Amino acid sequence: MIIVYTDKEKYFYDIHSLVKSFYPEEDVLVFVKGSRQIPKDANIILTIDMTLSWDEGHIDADFIWDGRAAKSFSMDCIRESEACSADMTDSPKNVLKRLLYTALNEETGKDLPWGTLTGIRPVKIAMHRLLGGDSDIQIRDYMKKTYICSDEKTDLSIEIAHRENRLLEGTTDGKGYSLYVNIPFCPTRCAYCSFMSSPIGLWKGKVDDYLDCIKKEIDETAPLFKDKRLDSIYIGGGTPTTLEPYQLEKLIGWIKDSYDTSYSREFTIESGRPDSITMDKLKVMKKGGVTRISVNPQTMRDRTLELIGRHHSVQQTIDSFYMAREAGFDHINMDIILGLPGEELSDVQYTMDEIAKLRPDELTVHSLAIKRASRLYDYVADHGLAGMDTTSAMMKVAEDGARSMGLGPYYLYRQKNISGNFENTGYGRGDKMCLYNIITMEETQSILALGSGSVSKRIFEGSRIERKGNPKDVKLYMENTSSDPSVMRDFFS
């Protein structure tokens, strides 16, 4: 266990996330000194006592490892009253995080690829400064000085920011929006999954009722967007292709009948699980105007698929991919996860070699994130993280493999508790890149989200953002939607 005392109740999340990045297997507690008791039997390996004297222009901290003499660190910062933005290099927040990083890096010898950055959207920093007129050199200097970000990740952020800026052209005028529909059912629940998804077998007799609830939301929200331009449509989950062909057909039909899709640049259905894909479903999607799908292997090792609860084989992935090509889909994404249980560098190389034979139009490379709501979280609590670590060598194999297929990075995000403190990166070829993914990361337009567990995002003039979510529980969502007006109707009214 690691204890962090402070004298002010501020930046707890940032402190916790950064310390956890250095010590992923330790519990970390952050609180104001004297506000709580520590269990007497707690095995404390590190105590950090922070004095946040930013009103006086400095931050101080004592670090005590395993009973050793305290080691003191101090850094000057801008006085909080004079810091007009937390993004300033020497703002109290950034100096606090650099102090923590410096001390923990010195003790552990661990270099974090993203430095002090703990948020999920690091590319937004590069994008903001790019749009503000900074050169690549100025952005690189800022990210290094402010966040101790590695040259590799800084250059990746800048490359993606330039590509995103080009792909977003024509969508940032305030007249467009995107539509998301959540289908919360899967063939089975994967061990790493933390989403509110349910095995389709438990809901077979209720799926049509669930879709009727989405139809009600569509009917109630569509009139609000009649004067808006629908730029992208994304049906996700879950696994939308757990729906039967007739169910997919009526859902697609409702969307096209209710919203003006004539200006839409893409229509994605996250097919995902190869064991849910059939030619009949592919034909329905193609006929309905779907332009982008996913066929997600996660790994090309059968032994790992079995271990993580994905009840399909590598051969099913290959067969489903070629079936989608046969159905006419020329924009297919594939997902892989690095750091899966028991996988080593050679397994990642094998997966990349096998995917290269298929030549997908997109590849999304995920670093395993251990989420509290997943089965893997309980496993890690009992057995530790051994055998589930993403390494820089794995990331390099995946990146080199993607680039060798002619795929360039176009969007990136990070997650809490992500393996190796790395990131998830989407790679695409030519114009085969997902606009919806970029809009979600850069938050450039409103997103109308329907279905259980979905979260709508409304962008106001001046870049103010508000969010509104539907209940995650499928049964509660259906009960509420059946009896009450859609919360999304009220949210966008």
Side-chain angles (χ1 to χ4, degrees):
M1 178 178 286
I2 295 172
I3 304 297
V4 184
Y5 300 114
T6 74
D7 61 343
K8 294 182 178 64
E9 191 171 349
K10 201 165 186 180
Y11 304 132
F12 280 12
Y13 175 82
D14 298 276
I15 294 170
H16 181 277
S17 297
L18 190 53
V19 174
K20 190 77 173 173
S21 295
F22 281 95
Y23 297 94
E25 296 193 57
E26 294 292 334
D27 290 327
V28 179
L29 294 180
V30 185
F31 54 91
V32 172
K33 195 169 186 176
S35 65
R36 63 184 296 177
Q37 295 293 318
I38 303 299
K40 292 182 180 179
D41 60 348
N43 180 25
I44 300 173
I45 67 164
L46 169 61
T47 301
I48 305 173
D49 190 351
M50 306 196 76
T51 304
L52 309 178
S53 304
W54 46 56
D55 290 333
E56 301 167 16
H58 60 92
I59 294 172
D60 310 295
D62 290 330
F63 292 74
I64 305 171
W65 280 276
D66 293 328
R68 285 182 272 159
K71 196 166 188 178
S72 299
F73 291 79
S74 181
M75 286 188 180
D76 293 336
C77 66
I78 298 171
R79 296 175 188 272
E80 188 173 44
S81 58
E82 299 171 0
C84 57
S85 169
D87 296 332
M88 296 174 69
T89 297
D90 290 328
S91 69
K93 178 180 178 179
N94 284 327
V95 170
L96 161 66
K97 294 173 74 174
R98 288 203 300 275
L99 184 150
L100 274 172
Y101 185 97
T102 300
L104 298 178
N105 168 261
E106 184 178 301
E107 172 67 18
T108 65
K110 183 184 291 187
D111 295 317
L112 302 181
W114 288 99
T116 67
L117 286 170
T118 54
I120 68 171
R121 296 179 173 90
V123 176
K124 284 192 77 171
I125 298 168
M127 176 71 91
H128 175 74
R129 302 194 78 83
L130 178 67
L131 296 178
D134 279 7
S135 67
D136 290 0
I137 293 174
Q138 289 172 313
I139 297 171
R140 191 174 291 111
D141 182 63
Y142 170 80
M143 292 186 72
K144 187 76 172 178
K145 287 182 178 178
T146 306
Y147 306 111
I148 321 179
C149 190
S150 70
D151 291 341
E152 178 188 5
K153 299 307 178 186
T154 297
D155 289 345
L156 179 62
S157 297
I158 294 170
E159 179 183 1
I160 291 174
H162 279 289
R163 192 165 279 124
E164 285 187 343
N165 195 34
R166 175 177 61 81
L167 292 167
L168 286 170
E169 286 181 5
T171 67
T172 59
D173 56 2
K175 299 177 181 178
Y177 73 103
S178 291
L179 173 67
Y180 177 84
V181 179
N182 188 50
I183 305 299
F185 310 117
C186 284
T188 58
R189 187 174 174 84
C190 302
Y192 53 79
C193 182
S194 63
F195 292 114
M196 283 293 292
S197 58
S198 302
I200 187 67
L202 299 177
W203 289 89
K204 272 294 186 184
K206 293 288 187 181
V207 174
D208 284 306
D209 293 337
Y210 176 82
L211 293 177
D212 287 341
C213 290
I214 288 180
K215 175 65 162 61
K216 184 171 184 283
E217 285 200 285
I218 289 173
D219 291 342
E220 294 182 358
T221 58
L224 302 175
F225 291 88
K226 59 183 175 62
D227 297 323
K228 289 279 191 179
R229 182 188 65 246
L230 179 54
D231 287 321
S232 69
I233 305 163
Y234 197 107
I235 301 179
T239 307
T241 41
T242 52
L243 298 182
E244 297 296 334
Y246 81 90
Q247 293 168 333
L248 282 168
E249 185 173 30
K250 69 179 179 181
L251 176 58
I252 293 170
W254 291 339
I255 290 171
K256 297 183 76 173
D257 289 344
S258 302
Y259 303 98
D260 182 0
T261 62
S262 58
Y263 298 99
S264 298
R265 287 168 49 176
E266 69 180 22
F267 188 163
T268 294
I269 290 188
E270 182 77 17
S271 311
R273 289 277 293 260
D275 48 341
S276 71
I277 299 172
T278 68
M279 181 56 82
D280 285 344
K281 295 176 185 179
L282 290 167
K283 287 179 177 178
V284 166
M285 291 189 288
K286 188 65 180 174
K287 181 181 177 182
V290 174
T291 59
R292 177 182 179 272
I293 65 169
S294 289
V295 180
N296 297 336
Q298 311 305 5
T299 175
M300 296 298 261
R301 292 292 196 191
D302 279 322
R303 66 174 186 268
T304 310
L305 290 172
E306 183 177 356
L307 187 62
I308 61 177
R310 285 180 75 87
H311 294 181
H312 65 83
S313 66
V314 169
Q315 189 59 50
Q316 279 180 289
T317 299
I318 296 169
D319 293 344
S320 294
F321 183 89
Y322 284 127
M323 192 192 306
R325 286 292 197 223
E326 183 184 343
F329 285 97
D330 61 1
H331 190 169
I332 303 175
N333 172 70
M334 302 188 89
D335 282 10
I336 64 168
I337 301 176
L338 308 184
L340 287 171
E343 291 217 336
E344 300 177 349
L345 182 61
S346 60
D347 298 299
V348 176
Q349 184 66 66
Y350 177 80
T351 289
M352 291 304 299
D353 290 344
E354 293 302 299
I355 287 175
K357 297 174 184 177
L358 300 175
R359 290 193 62 78
D361 309 288
E362 280 189 59
L363 178 69
T364 306
V365 179
H366 298 268
S367 293
L368 180 66
I370 309 296
K371 296 299 189 72
R372 189 176 293 273
S374 70
R375 296 204 318 272
L376 270 185
Y377 183 89
D378 295 330
Y379 177 88
V380 170
D382 294 335
H383 301 92
L385 287 168
M388 283 185 287
D389 189 29
T390 303
T391 67
S392 58
M394 289 179 178
M395 295 295 293
K396 188 75 168 72
V397 164
E399 179 183 358
D400 289 349
R403 290 185 186 274
S404 71
M405 287 184 265
L407 307 174
Y410 77 92
Y411 92 108
L412 179 153
Y413 68 101
R414 303 180 69 224
Q415 292 172 279
K416 188 177 180 181
N417 298 333
I418 197 166
S419 179
N421 196 244
F422 289 109
E423 68 280 340
N424 304 320
T425 306
Y427 297 85
R429 180 184 299 110
D431 62 349
K432 302 295 174 59
M433 301 176 185
C434 182
L435 176 63
Y436 178 84
N437 285 339
I438 299 172
I439 288 169
T440 301
M441 287 300 104
E442 295 305 318
E443 301 181 309
T444 54
Q445 65 176 215
S446 295
I447 296 175
L448 168 63
L450 310 178
S452 69
S454 63
V455 179
S456 288
K457 188 184 300 180
R458 187 171 182 181
I459 313 293
F460 291 85
E461 201 169 327
S463 298
R464 178 169 63 90
I465 300 173
E466 291 186 10
R467 294 171 174 82
K468 184 70 175 180
N470 270 323
K472 292 182 178 181
D473 181 84
V474 177
K475 184 179 179 182
L476 180 60
Y477 161 77
M478 292 173 65
E479 290 174 351
N480 289 0
T481 306
S482 297
S483 60
D484 301 317
S486 166
V487 297
M488 300 309 169
R489 185 195 69 175
D490 295 338
F491 181 59
F492 284 101
S493 294

